[in-house]
Amino acid sequence: MAHCEWDLHATSAAFLHGVMDVDSPLYILRGNRDVLSHIHSFLRIAWQQDVLLQVLHSRQGDLDDRDEYDDDEYYEGLPEELALAHVADVVFPEAESRFVNMMPFIMNDLSSLPQDLHQAYGHIINHCIQTLPQDEQNTIGYLTVHESLVTSNNSHRRPGLHTEGFVNETWETSAVRETNFPGTCLEEPYWHPWGFGHAICPGKFSGGIFIASNVDDSCHLYDIQVPSEVVGPGGDLEHLRSVMGAAFPPPAHPRRRVNDQYMRCGGKQVAVGPANITSNGFVRHPISMQSGELYW
């Protein structure tokens, strides 16, 4: 059984080598695992911030090289890097304290949902399904609905800067494999984003997660695919807030819309182009999701 090969950050490597070097002042820390672990946690955060900065600078350079910003060119140039898209404007049903979390259902058969959810949210779910390839429409989807009263200065669901998914840790291997190969790294941890989504073309996506709210400015979206190696436990990204804040400076703004008396979607102004593009180019701030906006 081959061991995993770890790509150790240069600063972390220098720190660990110093701990083992009798001529280094760091040698005094040898054997103090709690202290070493605490120091290394700061080194890891610095490395994660550096990785994200490289991604942001590379992507920003690609966008700055573009003279024009329209739907087709944007998708053709960055289909795999597109992090979000505004799918449609939808109308929410009257809240009745409905609550389900990750309820499985057959996406092309909404009768597989409880009748109440089918009637209340079927039209919104159909908007999502229609953006997927035909073969994916025949598979299982997972529905979360959370209708509840939210008090001032509190989050409806998960607070803080984060991404959705889960991590598969090395110690989560099966008992049989751990018994047969004790102390062996069988596989590196990896971040499992919900849906493994990517954009195919304007309005068409493979996998991913859809989100909508009936409250204005209740969620801020960042147009960046965060590298899996920098995602914290459970999808936490608070350790990257300073980097994200520099790349997408606050305050957050709603996506661009214009008035059009002939085209109204859910009572709102008509949306224009990709959600992260304005008349002046790439949006350099978080997007503040508005009531009734359905995002992929």
Side-chain angles (χ1 to χ4, degrees):
M1 176 66 68
H3 288 215
C4 300
E5 294 183 3
W6 296 88
D7 183 16
L8 192 61
H9 187 257
T11 304
S12 294
F15 170 69
L16 295 176
H17 288 157
V19 172
M20 302 301 293
D21 185 354
V22 294
D23 295 323
S24 169
L26 293 173
Y27 185 76
I28 194 174
L29 298 176
R30 185 175 182 180
N32 295 281
R33 297 184 60 181
D34 291 344
V35 176
L36 291 173
S37 178
H38 187 63
I39 295 174
H40 191 263
S41 68
F42 290 101
L43 294 176
R44 180 172 177 79
I45 290 175
W47 165 72
Q48 290 174 326
Q49 292 176 341
D50 185 55
V51 170
L52 183 59
L53 275 173
Q54 293 178 35
V55 173
L56 287 166
H57 289 162
S58 174
R59 186 167 183 271
Q60 189 58 57
D62 291 338
L63 289 166
D64 287 342
D65 288 340
R66 294 174 176 272
D67 296 325
E68 298 179 357
Y69 296 84
D70 61 46
D71 290 24
D72 292 335
E73 287 187 357
Y74 182 75
Y75 277 87
E76 288 173 5
L78 297 169
E80 296 296 331
E81 297 179 22
L82 188 69
L84 58 88
H86 178 208
V87 175
D89 289 326
V90 298
V91 178
F92 273 78
E94 193 71 26
E96 296 181 358
S97 298
R98 303 176 185 89
F99 178 70
V100 294
N101 188 53
M102 296 291 288
M103 174 180 283
F105 70 100
I106 303 171
M107 287 195 286
N108 65 350
D109 180 12
L110 296 187
S111 65
S112 59
L113 285 169
Q115 184 176 5
D116 180 43
L117 292 173
H118 181 185
Q119 293 177 346
Y121 287 94
H123 64 291
I124 299 179
I125 296 171
N126 276 326
H127 276 297
C128 303
I129 296 173
Q130 290 167 9
T131 69
L132 302 174
Q134 189 63 44
D135 60 334
E136 292 187 22
Q137 296 180 19
N138 302 325
T139 59
I140 302 296
Y142 298 87
L143 176 66
T144 294
V145 173
H146 191 174
E147 299 176 351
S148 65
L149 180 65
V150 183
T151 57
S152 177
N153 297 321
N154 284 294
S155 174
H156 183 203
R157 291 184 60 80
R158 179 177 180 176
L161 192 64
H162 67 276
T163 185
E164 296 292 344
F166 65 92
V167 66
N168 180 44
E169 297 285 6
T170 55
W171 57 79
E172 293 176 348
T173 55
S174 69
V176 174
R177 294 171 68 188
E178 189 62 29
T179 300
N180 293 338
F181 306 100
T184 300
C185 176
L186 300 175
E187 57 183 295
E188 294 185 31
Y190 66 89
W191 175 248
H192 184 303
W194 291 123
F196 288 107
H198 68 270
I200 300 173
C201 64
K204 286 293 182 181
F205 314 98
S206 175
I209 183 173
F210 296 86
I211 182 174
S213 173
N214 65 345
V215 179
D216 286 342
D217 305 313
S218 58
C219 182
H220 294 170
L221 307 175
Y222 293 79
D223 185 32
I224 181 67
Q225 290 189 18
V226 179
S228 61
E229 61 266 32
V230 306
V231 177
D236 179 55
L237 297 176
E238 279 295 336
H239 57 290
L240 301 175
R241 183 174 286 276
S242 61
V243 178
M244 296 286 278
F248 301 90
H253 295 282
R255 67 153 308 170
R256 184 186 174 212
R257 290 177 177 270
V258 297
N259 287 312
D260 190 324
Q261 61 179 328
Y262 301 107
M263 297 177 63
R264 293 284 179 172
C265 300
K268 289 184 174 292
Q269 297 170 310
V270 177
V272 178
N276 55 352
I277 299 296
T278 71
S279 58
N280 296 320
F282 180 57
V283 170
R284 302 177 189 275
H285 51 68
I287 298 172
S288 183
M289 192 167 69
Q290 301 299 292
S291 171
E293 290 183 344
L294 176 63
Y295 276 86
W296 169 86

